[in-house]
Amino acid sequence: MKLPTAWRASLRVTRRFLPDVLVHKRDLTVVTLLSVGVAGLELLKPWPLQWIFDRALVPTRTTSLSAGEVILLGAAATLLFVALGAVVQYQREVRLAAVGHQVSRSLRLSL
């Protein structure tokens, strides 16, 4: 089976620049892990709100915490997830920009 022309061109570009990019493998791994962290924190954001609804606003079972405590803890958890998400996303963006600059600089120096 023959690959489409666009794919063949992409493979040529990949073969040409992959060695230059692999020099920065460690930095790219850190950026990837930070991206996974951002995604994980985004998935955690709705959890405190659900906890507030299930335990305080529409309680289906009794808990050892009062409704006010549940709301306060849920709000604190939401604030924590948002703050952590912002810090991790900022670090990801800064490191991604730094890696991009390093790769383009090394390409310019090699040509």
Side-chain angles (χ1 to χ4, degrees):
M1 181 158 129
K2 198 169 186 178
L3 290 175
T5 307
W7 286 21
R8 283 184 285 183
S10 294
L11 286 174
R12 280 195 305 269
V13 170
T14 301
R15 277 190 216 113
R16 165 60 184 96
F17 292 112
L18 190 61
D20 297 319
V21 173
L22 285 180
V23 172
H24 306 283
K25 185 174 19 175
R26 181 174 170 250
D27 295 329
L28 290 170
T29 302
V30 170
V31 169
T32 301
L33 291 175
L34 287 171
S35 296
V36 169
V38 168
L41 287 167
E42 284 295 319
L43 289 173
L44 287 176
K45 278 184 184 178
W47 171 77
L49 188 60
Q50 181 218 354
W51 191 61
I52 289 171
F53 272 99
D54 290 348
R55 302 287 170 101
L57 300 179
V58 187
T60 55
R61 56 187 163 156
T62 59
T63 62
S64 60
L65 299 173
S66 69
E69 291 171 329
V70 169
I71 292 171
L72 185 63
L73 288 173
T78 300
L79 183 64
L80 177 70
F81 292 153
V82 168
L84 277 175
V87 168
V88 172
Q89 188 168 0
Y90 174 76
Q91 284 296 317
R92 182 193 66 178
E93 295 298 324
V94 167
R95 288 176 188 250
L96 184 60
V99 170
H101 289 300
Q102 290 170 1
V103 169
S104 64
R105 183 176 187 275
S106 66
L107 284 173
R108 271 187 262 125
L109 291 175
S110 69
L111 297 178

